[in-house]
Amino acid sequence: MSLTDARYMAAAIRFARRHEGWTATNPSVACLIVADGVIVGMGVTAMGGRPHAEPLALAQAGDLARGATAYVTLEPCAHHGRTPPCAQTLIDAGIARVFTAVVDPDPRVDEKGHAILRAAGIEVERGLGDSKAREVLAAYLVHKKLGRPHVTLKLAISADGLIGIRGKGQVPITGAQARAQTHLLRARSHAILVGSGTALADDPELTCRLPGLEGRSPVRIVLDANMRLHSGLKLVNTSNEVPLLVVGPVNPALAKTGTQFIACEMQDGRIALPELLEDLGARGIQSVLVEGGAQIAKALLSENLVDALALFTSPKPIGAGESVKDHIASPVLANDLRQGFELTGAWQFGEDRLETFARNA
Ligand code: AOF
Ligand code: ZN
């Protein structure tokens, strides 16, 4: 495999990001077909999960697929769904070489896709761009392997290491561009999770309000073991437009507004998070964006349930003039990687910096 192969695979991985979060319960996979140094076909798993990437790319390539090379971010499937297996479709189109990044852990595939290709005399190279491809496939892979959603902890941290001031509600920490990016993270997640403390103190909506993506707001989940939520909250008032799922006892006043409830198991007086995540996984929720507060963040971190971090750091301090006992310190800081996370990306949004981390495997 050459540097050029690595670059085509990198392009395929970037293309796969296009539908990330929007193909459930399928992963967003991309396929590039290259003939004589020219990309002749590009496909990404369609919204909703079908068609798969390979037939879309092959349809673009047409006859040019004969003798060409395919770069696929996930092993082509080996099972008959509504369409024949993608491995077979690649063979039928006359593809000569296939590069794949990640083995598909789906028991219907799991190296069978590779085996079908090899049996037809196709040259197969696995593992090209594996770690980058895994970032795009993270939610699918965690859900398949562990049966629970992939958990991203998102925090907006001030220059003095705080995520809020007790009793002050929503203290603006990051600017408009960073907020827009948060809305995109929401739109790409299957659920947003907060504690009732955050729901009450901040009265947030937790929807995606980016133009054109309003319809992509995922279910909002609030941990409310002590029935503290009330019908004056924006979360409750918008529950007809965007689903609200409360983890805790059924509150009849809220149930009337269309709020849904799931029972929770308790552990030492708190909602048992591993069991909750398992329940969410069983509902097909593959990814959760955790948006507060400090208590839930700490609990998830200490139970090793955080798979990725999205840390927005602002250049502005917020603690000056406030009593130190009201400072809510961030449970993690971007310049402190002792928790076993590695940097996966860094961006600047206006004055704010976003750094993303993935838990070391
Ligand atoms: C591919 N290319 O683009 C994707 C694949 O329900 P089905 O029949 O669509 O199959 C779902 C499975 O297909 C999913 O669990 C995963 O194994 C694979 N996803 N495979 O060849 C694709 N998205
Ligand atoms: Zn397929």
Side-chain angles (χ1 to χ4, degrees):
M1 90 184 57
S2 68
L3 190 60
T4 323
D5 294 320
R7 289 180 63 186
Y8 284 127
M9 183 59 88
I13 294 166
R14 283 196 300 279
F15 194 47
R17 287 204 184 272
R18 178 170 295 198
H19 287 169
E20 195 181 348
W22 300 338
T23 55
T25 54
N26 256 358
S28 178
V29 174
C31 173
L32 242 64
I33 312 288
V34 177
D36 298 325
V38 176
I39 298 173
V40 293
M42 283 175 87
V44 59
T45 313
M47 306 277 261
R50 279 276 174 175
H52 285 184
E54 297 89 329
L56 293 170
L58 290 169
Q60 265 186 17
D63 285 344
L64 295 175
R66 219 149 275 288
T69 302
Y71 299 83
V72 200
T73 60
L74 183 72
E75 175 187 5
C77 66
H79 61 281
H80 280 268
R82 271 163 283 161
T83 50
C86 289
Q88 191 58 48
T89 311
L90 289 163
I91 295 166
D92 295 345
I95 291 289
R97 280 202 309 167
V98 176
F99 286 90
T100 66
V102 177
V103 173
D104 187 348
D106 189 308
R108 296 170 295 177
V109 189
D110 199 13
E111 297 282 16
K112 293 184 207 62
H114 290 141
I116 294 173
L117 294 169
R118 285 207 183 96
I122 292 178
E123 220 183 293
V124 179
E125 292 269 7
R126 305 173 317 164
L128 182 60
D130 175 89
S131 68
K132 269 289 158 205
R134 276 176 194 279
E135 286 175 30
V136 186
L137 296 165
Y140 171 75
L141 295 173
V142 165
H143 186 257
K144 263 272 177 301
K145 190 168 153 202
L146 304 175
R148 65 158 174 85
H150 176 270
V151 174
T152 299
L153 175 61
K154 175 249 152 189
L155 294 163
I157 307 168
S158 63
D160 44 351
L162 308 181
I163 56 172
I165 304 291
R166 233 171 292 282
K168 281 272 164 96
Q170 280 198 39
V171 180
I173 293 177
T174 48
Q177 291 94 332
R179 265 201 302 279
Q181 184 61 21
T182 297
H183 283 219
L184 188 59
L185 291 178
R186 288 177 180 171
R188 296 237 185 238
S189 300
H190 290 175
I192 301 171
L193 181 88
V194 297
S196 58
T198 299
L200 291 167
D202 294 5
D203 192 17
E205 254 176 82
L206 303 177
T207 52
C208 171
R209 298 188 288 283
L210 294 176
L213 289 178
E214 297 92 342
R216 289 270 150 207
S217 294
V219 57
R220 293 130 346 136
I221 302 173
V222 185
L223 307 193
D224 190 27
N226 299 311
M227 295 176 73
R228 293 161 71 204
L229 295 190
H230 57 79
S231 49
L233 296 169
K234 286 188 195 140
L235 282 167
V236 176
N237 287 323
T238 53
S239 64
N240 280 329
E241 294 123 60
V242 182
L244 175 64
L245 187 60
V246 172
V247 184
V250 176
N251 177 337
L254 299 196
K256 262 190 270 168
T257 67
T259 301
Q260 298 160 44
F261 291 84
I262 48 172
C264 56
E265 274 180 53
M266 303 294 286
Q267 172 88 37
D268 303 328
R270 297 233 177 114
I271 290 173
L273 294 169
E275 284 78 1
L276 168 65
L277 291 176
E278 225 172 82
D279 289 350
L280 298 179
R283 288 173 175 238
I285 294 177
Q286 289 180 346
S287 61
V288 171
L289 183 67
V290 180
E291 290 214 46
Q295 227 181 53
I296 291 182
K298 274 190 209 138
L300 287 167
L301 284 165
S302 72
E303 295 193 52
N304 276 327
L305 291 170
V306 176
D307 300 296
L309 293 164
L311 305 182
F312 289 91
T313 308
S314 146
K316 293 186 194 136
I318 60 165
E322 304 286 348
S323 164
V324 172
K325 72 171 177 16
D326 291 330
H327 288 183
I328 306 174
S330 177
V332 275
L333 297 173
N335 56 11
D336 175 9
L337 294 182
R338 277 172 303 169
Q339 287 82 7
F341 288 93
E342 68 183 283
L343 188 71
T344 48
W347 297 266
Q348 191 72 26
F349 291 102
E351 288 195 315
D352 309 308
R353 194 162 175 73
L354 167 63
E355 278 149 299
T356 57
F357 302 86
R359 188 148 56 119
N360 292 327

